[in-house]
Amino acid sequence: MLSQQMRNTYTQNTTLTSTPNQLLLMLYDGAIRFCKLGIEGIESNNYELANTNLCKAQAIIYEFISSLDMKQPVSKDLLVMYEYIIHLLVQGNVKKDLILITEALGYIEELRETWAEASRLAGSMKPSNHYV
């Protein structure tokens, strides 16, 4: 088992050497993990665990909102989606409602897969240095 210091060093190195697309996917993975931990907290009546992790998921979504370039048409749609996810997480946390949190988790997972696919497609469309 790795020590906390080793984990922190690994995380820092991974973050510093990742592409913007990889960082985005890492944030989505974090939001997904925190939602699942929030669900586990509610299921086990550990509301402190639930609250802590659902707040972490919200913080990631707020970070996505703050990084939107509102000059891009897709940003307006993403803003609406992110705000709805925040609403679900907040209401789910306050009410300890697994249905709301699970709905938010589903949207986050879908967005993560969309970004992963877009990243794969963008990577496959890189110009070639080879001439025919």
Side-chain angles (χ1 to χ4, degrees):
M1 188 153 144
L2 294 174
S3 72
Q4 187 62 40
Q5 182 179 5
M6 290 174 70
R7 271 187 238 149
N8 291 343
T9 300
Y10 173 78
T11 301
Q12 183 179 15
N13 288 338
T14 301
T15 302
L16 292 174
T17 60
S18 296
T19 66
N21 287 339
Q22 290 169 327
L23 290 172
L24 181 70
L25 294 175
M26 289 167 60
L27 285 169
Y28 272 111
D29 290 340
I32 291 166
R33 185 177 67 253
F34 295 137
C35 283
K36 289 179 178 179
L37 288 169
I39 290 169
E40 286 177 24
I42 291 171
E43 289 175 338
S44 65
N45 295 321
N46 185 340
Y47 299 130
E48 183 178 349
L49 175 71
N51 181 61
T52 298
N53 285 288
L54 293 172
C55 286
K56 287 179 181 181
Q58 290 170 44
I60 291 171
I61 304 303
Y62 278 123
E63 185 61 33
F64 290 155
I65 289 172
S66 72
S67 68
L68 289 174
D69 177 358
M70 295 311 289
K71 294 176 187 169
Q72 302 301 319
V74 71
S75 292
K76 290 177 179 77
D77 294 331
L78 284 170
L79 177 61
V80 170
M81 189 74 212
Y82 290 149
E83 287 176 336
Y84 183 62
I85 291 169
I86 294 278
H87 169 77
L88 291 171
L89 290 172
V90 169
Q91 290 302 307
N93 192 7
V94 169
K95 298 175 182 177
K96 304 304 180 227
D97 186 329
L98 294 175
I99 293 171
L100 296 175
I101 298 165
T102 302
E103 182 180 351
L105 174 60
Y107 291 131
I108 295 168
E109 289 172 333
E110 285 181 38
L111 285 165
R112 191 238 183 255
E113 288 310 308
T114 300
W115 284 113
E117 182 62 22
S119 180
R120 281 190 290 274
L121 289 174
S124 69
M125 293 181 191
K126 289 182 181 174
S128 173
N129 291 333
H130 304 289
Y131 297 98
V132 181

